[in-house]
């Protein structure tokens, strides 16, 4: 979209202007006061002219002697010599001693030019700047220089604006917002029935899911101006400035109605006012002003406020009540079809080979956001360029998923032979346990090439389709698979390493969630002890139970993980031959695909 900003000149502009004027002034004034031509002559000429009695006026200073000829038509200048009789001789030759030889022009003019004119220019400039500032501030007191000015950027409709088609997936959100577009196109349809549009729509979802894009697309589809400001821009150092920015923003928006005002990260100002001493006065005032402004305009005046946040639970209830942000549009992480669509939208910008299968890539990229998918496409394009190719192939995209998930390959990481063997067994341990259980996702890829994220290897499992519900058995199998790496180390080497720390963390998290949130423990039945406090940002939880229960939870978590660990070890012991064979193969190859793995596993089974 084209951004149209008011032509606000920075202060530096005025400084440069003043300097330019001063410079010109210095150039021009001397030419106004220009002295007539002065000839420089030697002292001998001067003495000759005295002798010839050809001196009109003369002025002697410490360093120079300025004199005219008898007719005062020419001015000369010469240096000073130690000449005690000079004055006498000059007097004898009839010279007139003057103090302004060579000075011409009226003293009043020179006074005007050198003193009054610059003063007048400065006063004029000052007035002009003052006026400009008053205009910008909408007639506010000039003393509050630059304060309270909303810096909402105004975008106007343009042919290259973002449309709904550019936002892939997110069909429910688009459907929800389409009504607003329709209202902006044809408000009468709504007012005739007496329906009023929501004043505010809250877009909630994890970062990078396209909330900003959707807001822009609403403006693009409706062909109305789009004001965008981030919540944090309201919060200033001085109390009251944020509130005045809110006032200013709404004033601008009302002038441009119908229009869309987009407030990104609204939680920066809209946090719950909890009455604690540590609260931020400025933020509260800003929020109050926002609430007042939203109440202040009628539902049908054509200003629609869209706001985005990934922490909806922290918003003040006053902000989300009907009449303010009364509609909430969830913008969730894309599902399989959504991911595929997003990949295709972004792939339009790059050249892809014909073998690219976006469905597989979308399956591999489970749990990624739109922004991450855009990044995957870009990483793939960069990889193709690095390899000197002109099109992006499937391998580029698969590698770039791994880059986004696990970081770049560490080219110069040196693993000792023994370490490499341990990592190979560890990864095959995961894969084998996954493959031998009936509720695990198929293995897609196993690699023991170290990554910059610190992983020495990993096993990628990819679900055939998106999973919305997980059974207790599936979760237990997941925990068993996570413990499979460590179990393989125990079975084969009889000693354990630090390589399992991430697995341990994940297994514990899952086991804990099963007991405290999913009601998957007989003793606790359907009682929740933990609540998710931060749904879209990392999913932090808070525990609310007695100390005894906490102890019981811990014991149950340990027991659950132990059970699955034992199960994994049993699977590996029962399949020791396959474990050795596959680990050796991975050790040699470093990376194997899921198909290779399954084939090798099946071959072993056939031989037995
Ligand atoms: P948010 O505001 O939710 O954090 P943005 O709207 O700023 O996310 O999205 C960031 C980038 O991610 C966009 O510029 C776009 O390239 C990409 N993106 C996110 N979601 C989508 C989507 N649904 N379709 C296409 N691109 C998307």
């Amino acid at each position: 979209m084209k951004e149209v900003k008011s032509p606000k000149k920075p202060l530096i502009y005025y400084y440069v202007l003043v300097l330019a004027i001063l410079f010109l002034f210095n150039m021009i004034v001397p030419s106004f006061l220009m002295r007539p031509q002065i000839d420089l002559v030697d002292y001998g000429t001067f003495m000759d002219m005295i002798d010839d009695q050809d001196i009109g006026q003369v002025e002697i200073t410490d360093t120079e002697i300025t004199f005219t000829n008898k007719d005062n038509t020419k001015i000369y200048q010469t240096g000073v010599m130690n000449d005690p009789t000079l004055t006498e001789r000059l007097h004898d030759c009839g010279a007139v001693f003057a103090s302004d030889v060579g000075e011409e022009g009226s003293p009043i003019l020179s006074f005007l030019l050198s003193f009054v004119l610059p003063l007048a220019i400065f006063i004029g400039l000052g007035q002009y700047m003052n006026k400009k500032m008053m205009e910008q501030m909408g007639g506010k007191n000039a003393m509050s220089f630059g304060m309270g000015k909303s810096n909402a950027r105004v975008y106007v409709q343009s042919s290259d604006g973002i449309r709904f088609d550019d936002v892939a997936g997110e069909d429910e959100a688009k459907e929800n917002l389409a009504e607003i577009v329709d209202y902006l196109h044809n408000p009468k349809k709504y007012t005739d029935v007496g329906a009023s549009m929501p004043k505010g729509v809250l877009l909630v979802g994890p970062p990078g899911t396209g909330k900003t894009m959707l807001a822009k697309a609403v403006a693009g589809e409706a062909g109305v101006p789009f004001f965008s400001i981030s919540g944090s821009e309201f919060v200033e150092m001085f109390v009251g400035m944020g509130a005045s920015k809110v006032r200013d923003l709404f004033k601008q928006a009302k002038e441009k109605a119908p229009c869309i005002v987009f407030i990104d990260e609204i939680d920066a100002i809209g946090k719950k006012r909890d009455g604690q001493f540590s609260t931020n006065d400025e933020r509260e005032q800003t929020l109050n002003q926002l609430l007042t402004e939203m109440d202040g305009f009628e539902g049908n005046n054509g200003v629609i406020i869209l706001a985005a946040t990934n922490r909806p639970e922290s918003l003040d209830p006053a902000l989300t009540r009907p009449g303010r942000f009364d509609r909430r549009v969830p913008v969730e992480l894309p599902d399989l079809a959504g991911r595929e669509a997003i990949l295709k939208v972004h792939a339009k910008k790059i050249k892809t080979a014909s073998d690219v299968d976006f469905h597989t890539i979308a399956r591999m990229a489970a749990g990624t956001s739109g922004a991450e998918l855009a990044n995957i496409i870009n990483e793939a394009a960069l990889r193709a360029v690095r390899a000197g190719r002109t099109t992006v192939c499937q391998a580029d995209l698969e590698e770039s998923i791994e880059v986004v998930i696990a970081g770049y390959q560490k080219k110069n990481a040196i693993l000792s032979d023994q370490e490499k063997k341990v990592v190979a067994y560890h990864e095959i341990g995961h894969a084998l346990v996954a493959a031998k259980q009936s509720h695990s996702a198929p293995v897609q890829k196993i690699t023991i090439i170290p990554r910059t994220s610190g992983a020495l290897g990993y096993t990628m499992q990819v679900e055939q389709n998106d999973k919305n519900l997980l059974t207790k058995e599936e979760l237990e199998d997941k925990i068993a698979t996570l413990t499979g790496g460590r179990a393989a180390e125990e079975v084969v080497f009889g000693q354990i390493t630090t390589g399992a720390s991430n697995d341990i963390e994940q297994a514990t998290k899952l086991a804990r969630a099963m007991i405290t949130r999913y009601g998957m423990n007989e003793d606790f039945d359907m009682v929740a002890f933990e609540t998710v406090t931060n749904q879209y940002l990392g999913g932090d939880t808070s525990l609310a139970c007695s100390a005894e229960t906490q102890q019981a939870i811990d014991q149950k978590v340990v027991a659950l993980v132990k059970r699955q660990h034992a199960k994994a070890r049993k699977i590996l012991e029962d399949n020791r031959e396959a474990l050795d064979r596959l680990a050796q193969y991975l050790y040699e190859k470093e990376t194997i695909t899921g198909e290779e793995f399954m084939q090798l596993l099946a071959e072993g089974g056939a031989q037995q």
Side-chain angles (χ1 to χ4, degrees), residues 127-146:
Q127 292 282 337
Y128 174 73
M129 279 169 69
N130 228 346
K131 191 166 147 254
K132 273 265 156 201
M133 227 171 282
M134 295 284 262
E135 273 170 20
Q136 279 175 11
M137 301 184 44
K140 275 184 235 135
N141 184 359
M143 284 305 286
S144 53
F145 176 81

Side-chain angles (χ1 to χ4, degrees), residues 455-532:
L456 296 176
Y458 62 87
T459 303
M460 188 193 265
Q461 281 176 273
V462 176
E463 293 283 358
Q464 212 59 35
N465 290 302
D466 270 348
K467 275 230 170 273
N468 299 312
L469 285 178
L470 286 168
T471 62
K472 187 178 170 195
E473 286 69 32
E474 280 167 339
L475 287 171
E476 283 174 351
D477 283 2
K478 258 186 191 225
I479 298 175
T481 306
L482 286 165
T483 59
R486 164 65 66 85
E489 291 176 32
E490 287 166 346
V491 169
V492 178
F493 302 103
Q495 60 183 21
I496 51 180
T497 67
T498 53
S501 62
N502 186 36
D503 303 334
I504 293 171
E505 213 173 284
Q506 286 191 43
T508 313
K509 222 175 180 176
L510 264 183
R512 214 181 164 75
M514 282 174 73
I515 289 163
T516 59
R517 283 167 44 212
Y518 304 143
M520 289 180 176
N521 185 281
E522 300 76 31
D523 294 346
F524 291 146
D525 204 41
M526 285 180 62
V527 177
F529 301 108
E530 264 184 4
T531 40
V532 176

Side-chain angles (χ1 to χ4, degrees), residues 256-289:
K256 287 261 166 38
C259 68
I260 300 283
V261 173
F262 177 61
I263 307 176
D264 204 359
E265 312 288 352
I266 194 165
D267 43 281
I269 44 168
K271 261 204 211 106
K272 277 192 193 111
R273 294 162 293 181
D274 47 13
Q276 282 171 5
F277 287 118
S278 59
T279 52
N280 182 337
D281 267 353
E282 161 66 350
R283 213 191 55 224
E284 283 203 2
Q285 281 211 13
T286 311
L287 175 59
N288 284 337
Q289 187 62 42

